[in-house]
């Protein structure tokens, strides 16, 4: 198929960007969206132009790097997928596709479609871990009984890949789905209890410091999240913070 | 604890608490109004009680006014903060793909309700305060029904009334479940809450509208 692409081009974080139109031809419907971008970049390099910078790594929906806002939705129109898992069969011959970087004050554009998501790293560093003495006497994790229900819910929360689609989608640029998932993953397990109060307090404080917005429960994040992280995780984080503040 | 209400989640909780308060108040308000459809005497008696009971006048009323002001001021503050958190807007954003209109436009439905509250104060509250405390006219336990009935003569006012309550319905269509989610009490009860929320968001505004239309067409 033949497509018109409207892509955000921006030289660096200090330069103003703008939308630029490109044409690509002979795109196979079996290609992934990133492969289509590869075709475009090959074309641009052959013409001696600057290729479009975009983030990617695993190309199999695991690393969370491929951060594109396609036709007004994070990771495009399909559900439960990252951009690398988005197939060109979701589009029609002759379509015009708008491609923008993830937008949020806390995710500044580095170049073209590449944004800086290290704010997420700093939130994780503020409490997204458990402290374990690894001197050799570590208790076998299997010796701690955990109910199937709690284990499943913790696992669901832990599938968050930190892609930032929730922030990009949110009209308030709120990071609460991400932070809710990270808080829940530990709050649900016995290993997470000891540091639970400090964890939620510190992670929420870092989230606020990074300049993410306030959740208004539109639920857009849950719909656009490639891993189907549920809003229940935000409710749990709210409960955890209330609990931590009362104690 | 003071740190809690300065956090993003604390603000959500404060917003939800004020909203719960307003939703309970609406329930009470519509109940009293409903009396006016069935019996002039009962409505007058209830209004007289509400208007002269000192607990309601000097404790509940100030709390209510504080609650309303807190709710919309906090609404504005959050809206401004959230706009700032976005920075550069998208060229193309398909909000309808993942969220309801009501959820994305709380500030606009809220602004219409606010405009209505101002009109409501001019219509009922200021004359009431004037009657009771400024001119200090003698208590007349039978005046309320006539005042209410008179207000709904003008089709313009009734029209504004209807529009405001439709927008209130939209505000609540998102707001009801949202307030529970903010308080962290949704898990496992999502379906029930959604149904109750839908019922509340339709029935309460509809009753207000029906009462207004009843008085308009019964002249
Ligand atoms: C009787 C009148 C009102 C009722 C019953 C009401 C009810 C609600 C409810 C239930 C919520 C959801 C709270 C939450 O998500 O935690 C809400 C949110 C909101 N309200 Fe109201 N509201 C009223 C008046 C107003 C007014 C006058 C404004 C003025 C602009 C306003 C602006 C907002 C905004 C912006 C939000 C979203 C904020 C957020 O979710 O964080 N509301 N309202
Ligand atoms: S919650 Fe979902 S959308 Fe947000 S960072 Fe995690 S995987 Fe991505
Ligand atoms: S490139 Fe790793 S998730 Fe898309």
């Amino acid at each position: 198929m033949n497509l018109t692409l409207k892509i955000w081009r921006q030289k660096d974080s200090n330069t103003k960007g703008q939308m630029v139109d490109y044409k690509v031809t002979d795109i196979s419907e079996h290609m992934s969206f990133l492969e289509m971008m590869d075709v475009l970049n090959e074309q641009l390099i052959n013409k001696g132009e600057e290729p479009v910078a975009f983030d990617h790594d695993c190309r199999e929906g695991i690393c969370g790097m491929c951060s594109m806002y396609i036709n007004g939705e994070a990771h495009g129109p399909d559900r439960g997928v990252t951009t690398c898992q988005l197939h060109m069969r979701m589009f029609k011959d002759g379509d015009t596709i708008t491609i923008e970087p993830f937008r949020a004050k806390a995710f500044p554009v580095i170049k073209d479609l590449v944004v800086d998501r290290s704010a997420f790293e700093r939130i994780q560093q503020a409490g997204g871990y458990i402290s374990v003495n690894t001197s050799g006497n570590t208790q076998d994790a299997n010796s701690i009984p955990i109910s199937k229900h709690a284990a499943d819910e913790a696992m669901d929360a832990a599938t968050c890949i930190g892609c930032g689609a929730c922030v990009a989608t949110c009209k308030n640029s709120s990071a609460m789905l991400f932070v809710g998932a990270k808080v829940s993953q530990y709050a649900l397990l016995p290993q997470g209890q000891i540091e639970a109060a400090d964890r939620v307090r510190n992670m929420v404080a870092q989230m606020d410091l990074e300049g993410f917005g306030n959740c208004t429960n539109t639920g857009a994040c849950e719909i656009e999240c490639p891993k189907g992280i549920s809003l229940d995780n935000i409710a749990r984080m709210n409960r955890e913070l209330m609990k931590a503040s009362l104690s | 604890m003071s740190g809690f209400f300065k956090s993003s989640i604390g603000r959500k909780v404060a917003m939800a608490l004020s909203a719960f308060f307003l939703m309970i108040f609406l329930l009470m308000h519509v109940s009293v109004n409903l009396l006016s459809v069935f019996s002039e005497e009962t409505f007058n008696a209830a209004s007289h009680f509400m208007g002269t009971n000192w607990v309601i006048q000097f404790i509940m009323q100030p709390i209510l006014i504080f609650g309303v002001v807190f709710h919309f001021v906090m609404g504005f503050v959050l809206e401004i903060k959230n706009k700032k958190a976005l920075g550069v807007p998208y060229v193309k954003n398909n909000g309808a793909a993942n969220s309801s209109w009501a959820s994305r436009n709380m500030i606009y439905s809220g602004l219409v309700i606010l405009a209505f509250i101002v009109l409501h104060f001019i219509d009922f509250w200021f004359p009431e305060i004037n009657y009771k405390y400024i001119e200090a006219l003698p208590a007349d336990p039978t005046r309320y029904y006539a005042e209410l009935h008179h207000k709904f003569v003008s089709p313009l006012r009734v029209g504004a009334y209807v529009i405001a309550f439709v927008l209130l319905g939209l505000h609540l269509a998102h707001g009801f479940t949202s307030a529970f989610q903010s308080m962290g009490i949704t898990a496992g009860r999502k379906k029930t809450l959604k149904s109750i929320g839908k019922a509340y968001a339709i029935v309460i505004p509809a009753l207000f509208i029906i009462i207004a239309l009843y008085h308009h067409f019964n002249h």
Side-chain angles (χ1 to χ4, degrees):
Chain A
M1 43 186 169
N2 301 330
L3 302 164
T4 305
L5 307 175
K6 290 182 176 298
I7 303 180
W8 183 263
R9 301 301 309 260
Q10 183 172 341
K11 196 155 160 277
D12 54 44
S13 49
N14 301 318
T15 318
K16 250 187 83 134
Q18 85 272 5
M19 299 300 284
V20 179
D21 288 7
Y22 298 97
K23 294 237 182 273
V24 282
T25 51
D26 289 331
I27 297 296
S28 155
E29 60 173 14
H30 303 302
M31 280 182 184
S32 79
F33 201 84
L34 295 190
E35 283 166 336
M36 184 277 294
M37 292 297 289
D38 292 338
V39 171
L40 169 71
N41 275 347
E42 212 167 85
Q43 199 176 299
L44 290 176
I45 291 167
N46 286 340
K47 280 199 283 186
E49 289 176 37
E50 180 86 6
V52 179
F54 62 88
D55 260 327
H56 61 104
D57 188 16
C58 70
R59 296 210 178 198
E60 55 178 359
I62 291 170
C63 72
M65 283 305 283
C66 48
S67 55
M68 289 181 200
Y69 212 72
I70 302 160
N71 278 349
E73 286 182 78
H75 301 140
D78 209 355
R79 291 287 169 259
V81 295
T82 51
T83 306
C84 57
Q85 296 172 301
L86 177 68
H87 281 94
M88 293 312 295
R89 68 178 79 101
M90 293 298 293
F91 302 93
K92 291 193 310 292
D93 185 37
D95 273 1
T96 298
I97 306 176
T98 308
I99 310 169
E100 298 174 74
F102 279 3
R103 294 287 188 200
K105 254 283 173 44
F107 285 172
V109 173
I110 298 171
K111 185 181 164 88
D112 297 337
L113 303 173
V114 179
V115 297
D116 179 358
R117 282 166 286 180
S118 46
F120 271 14
E121 305 295 330
R122 290 187 290 274
I123 295 173
Q124 277 290 65
Q125 284 156 11
Y129 54 81
I130 54 165
S131 307
V132 177
N133 185 346
T134 52
S135 59
N137 306 324
T138 320
Q139 188 184 4
D140 180 2
N142 287 328
S143 68
I144 304 170
I146 297 168
S147 78
K148 168 97 168 76
H149 181 69
D152 285 352
E153 276 203 276
M155 187 61 210
D156 285 348
T159 56
C160 164
I161 54 177
C163 64
C166 42
V167 173
T169 297
C170 178
K171 80 176 190 52
N172 312 313
S173 304
S174 166
M176 290 209 190
L177 195 64
F178 166 76
V179 184
K182 298 301 170 195
V183 165
S184 291
Q185 171 185 342
Y186 299 105
L188 285 158
L189 298 177
Q191 289 92 332
Q193 299 312 311
I194 295 164
E195 293 158 302
D198 283 341
R199 172 178 308 113
V200 68
R201 246 187 253 131
N202 293 340
M203 288 181 84
V204 169
Q206 188 64 34
M207 169 178 85
D208 292 349
L209 204 63
E210 297 288 350
F212 292 105
N214 300 274
C215 174
T216 57
N217 308 316
T218 67
C221 52
E222 179 183 55
I223 306 284
E224 298 289 348
C225 170
K227 299 298 159 188
I229 300 292
S230 140
L231 286 184
D232 290 346
N233 291 291
I234 300 183
R236 186 177 297 105
M237 169 174 65
N238 295 359
R239 289 198 299 276
E240 287 289 312
L241 189 69
M242 284 188 248
K243 233 175 16 188
S245 306
L246 288 172
S247 61
Chain B
M1 218 42 212
S2 73
F4 175 70
F5 283 111
K6 285 204 187 85
S7 75
S8 51
I9 292 174
R11 287 199 208 98
K12 284 180 68 167
V13 169
M15 193 73 192
L17 287 174
S18 66
F20 275 127
F21 181 72
L22 292 179
M23 287 192 291
I24 293 168
F25 160 73
L26 273 186
L27 210 55
M28 231 176 59
H29 199 319
V30 83
S31 310
V32 175
N33 285 16
L34 211 50
L35 295 176
S36 73
V37 173
F38 297 111
S39 151
E40 186 174 336
E41 286 76 47
T42 328
F43 175 73
N44 274 335
S47 302
H48 188 67
F49 171 76
M50 302 286 278
T52 49
N53 182 286
W54 71 269
V55 176
I56 291 171
Q57 281 298 296
F58 300 112
I59 299 177
M60 299 303 277
Q61 190 162 280
I63 296 177
L64 173 64
I65 292 173
F66 174 80
V68 173
V69 172
F70 179 89
H71 183 81
F72 74 74
V73 169
M74 197 67 166
F76 287 133
V77 169
L78 289 174
E79 178 71 15
I80 291 165
K81 275 183 175 289
N82 291 342
K83 275 267 145 51
K84 272 204 197 125
L86 175 59
V88 182
Y90 287 109
V91 173
K92 183 170 180 184
N93 190 20
N94 187 4
N98 47 42
S99 53
S100 67
W101 186 92
S103 75
R104 281 175 279 127
N105 293 283
M106 289 298 272
I107 192 70
Y108 299 110
S109 52
L111 276 169
V112 174
I113 305 169
L114 183 60
F116 171 79
I117 293 176
V118 171
L119 174 74
H120 201 57
F121 265 59
I122 296 171
D123 268 357
F124 290 99
W125 201 71
F126 291 141
E128 189 63 21
I129 293 297
N130 185 46
Y131 186 102
K132 278 192 297 206
Y133 303 117
I134 298 175
E135 292 184 22
L137 296 175
D140 171 9
T142 58
R143 68 195 161 92
Y144 304 96
Y145 186 85
E147 283 172 7
L148 171 90
H149 204 67
H150 174 74
K151 289 293 185 225
F152 291 115
V153 173
S154 154
L156 271 179
R157 189 184 275 103
V158 174
Y161 205 90
V162 170
I163 292 170
F165 278 101
V166 169
L167 268 294
L168 176 68
L170 287 168
H171 200 73
L172 291 167
H174 172 68
F176 188 93
T177 41
S178 175
F180 281 91
Q181 166 77 7
S182 293
M183 296 300 295
I185 39 185
T186 39
R189 305 181 192 91
K190 260 191 204 159
K191 273 213 185 104
T192 323
L193 279 176
K194 259 197 188 139
S195 313
I196 301 174
K198 227 180 236 162
Y200 185 97
I202 294 171
V203 172
I204 303 286
L207 283 175
F208 274 111
I209 292 175
I210 291 168
I211 295 164
L213 293 178
Y214 170 83
H215 288 290
H216 180 66
F217 289 112
N218 267 292
H219 275 283

